[in-house]
Amino acid sequence: MAIDFKESERSTVGLEWELQLVDPATGRLSPCAPGVFAELDRRHPGFPLVHSEMLQIMVEFVSRKRTAVAECARDMQEALAVVEPIAAELGARLVSAGSHPFAEPSLQPVSETERYEELVERTQYWGHQMLIFGTHVHVGIEDRRKVIPILNHLTARLGHIQAFAASSPFWAGIDTGYADNRAMMFQQLPTAGLPHRLRAWEELDDLVADLLKVGAIRQYDEIRWDVRPSPKFGTIEVRACDANSNLAEVRAVAALVHCLVETASRELDAGREPLVLPREFAETNKWRAARYGMDAVLVENADGDQAPLRESFPDFVAGLESAAEDLGCTEDLAACLAIARGGVGYERQREVARLTGGLQAVVAHLRAERLAGRPLDPSVTAGEDAQ
């Protein structure tokens, strides 16, 4: 089977950001997405930036195809301006994080589409647990021959991206001990988790043909890897990131991925192979990033050398600065360091819970960050909640 990879301009970028609909009085999830979309269709027919998702308590914002992260962010702002008033009229507010702190996953209604109903029927208990939210980043690849080497390179650096974006420490009212519990949940689905280690595009053709032959998938997009080629868009898509609570962090995560892809592409242009890790090292990094977040000790190369992420992260970001200058996202990339110093998403959530003793305050904190458009000091939002 030959998979057609659509022609794409180099290093174009697109974002997908999943948000929760919550009751502002209780902090509980509100299954009003069908009402949101009905009203959206009435007021803004054909509006392209908002899509339905698996559950009726969520919406997904999808940017246009862009050349810079800042342009994608403007699309996100446009979507917020359109959806926020509609949600408010239905008694809900928009919040985002990799998980909801205390909602019961199995009680959330599934969107009434054949695709999602079939997924839940097939996967049963684990399908009912998919109360998870992500930020996805697409980057255009101009030459299909580059896709697999860049896929392998992103897999090698997945721990860095995943730890920085981690924002799902709580699950059904408990602290899981993980920074990114979403990663642990999502990999329970068939064909989710780390991508297969491939050497050429033709191996992807053969893999997909085999999965279709045995009925493991019915179409290509049922491959739900943490990083995957997206042939219909001509992109590579990073799907490993928890949803971010605010637009500044969405931009920072997008810049990190955008620059990683462009940097790897430049290595290939120069005749050099980007970094690749053995599968067992990539698996180790994924688990450590999920468990420990920014406190993870990650494997840095194929020789097995390791480094604490908090110490290595500045150098990791510095290695992307040249690409950031050319891609117009220098400030967004630099924001990664400021955010890491102040505490990334899971750390801020835990601090609010520690200061207040309650998870409703965590939802209020997430809402405050969504409105502010940037990370906020947990001691300030926790104090406001206590008042």
Side-chain angles (χ1 to χ4, degrees), residues 263-306:
T263 300
S265 191
R266 293 178 181 190
E267 288 293 291
L268 292 168
D269 290 342
R272 299 185 293 266
E273 286 295 315
L275 173 71
V276 176
L277 289 185
R279 171 83 182 194
E280 58 272 22
F281 290 172
E283 289 174 341
T284 296
N285 281 351
K286 173 175 173 150
W287 186 85
R288 288 179 180 178
R291 170 65 178 86
Y292 301 109
M294 294 299 293
D295 289 321
V297 176
L298 298 182
V299 182
E300 294 289 330
N301 54 44
D303 293 329
D305 296 327
Q306 302 177 71

Side-chain angles (χ1 to χ4, degrees), residues 228-294:
R228 71 178 180 187
S230 188
K232 67 180 179 179
F233 296 122
T235 65
I236 196 159
E237 178 188 9
V238 173
R239 302 162 46 84
C241 301
D242 282 0
N244 310 105
S245 61
N246 61 89
L247 197 51
E249 269 179 312
V250 171
R251 293 178 64 152
V253 166
L256 202 61
V257 173
H258 200 192
C259 294
L260 266 171
V261 173
E262 173 59 25
T263 300
S265 191
R266 293 178 181 190
E267 288 293 291
L268 292 168
D269 290 342
R272 299 185 293 266
E273 286 295 315
L275 173 71
V276 176
L277 289 185
R279 171 83 182 194
E280 58 272 22
F281 290 172
E283 289 174 341
T284 296
N285 281 351
K286 173 175 173 150
W287 186 85
R288 288 179 180 178
R291 170 65 178 86
Y292 301 109
M294 294 299 293

Side-chain angles (χ1 to χ4, degrees), residues 13-17 47-50 60-83 247 250-251:
V13 62
L15 298 183
E16 301 170 12
W17 184 24
F47 188 68
L49 303 182
V50 186
E60 180 183 49
F61 292 174
V62 180
S63 77
R64 301 174 178 90
K65 179 181 177 180
R66 297 298 196 178
T67 59
V69 168
E71 296 170 340
C72 293
R74 285 196 289 273
D75 288 343
M76 300 292 103
Q77 291 280 28
E78 182 182 345
L80 285 167
V82 168
V83 174
L247 197 51
V250 171
R251 293 178 64 152

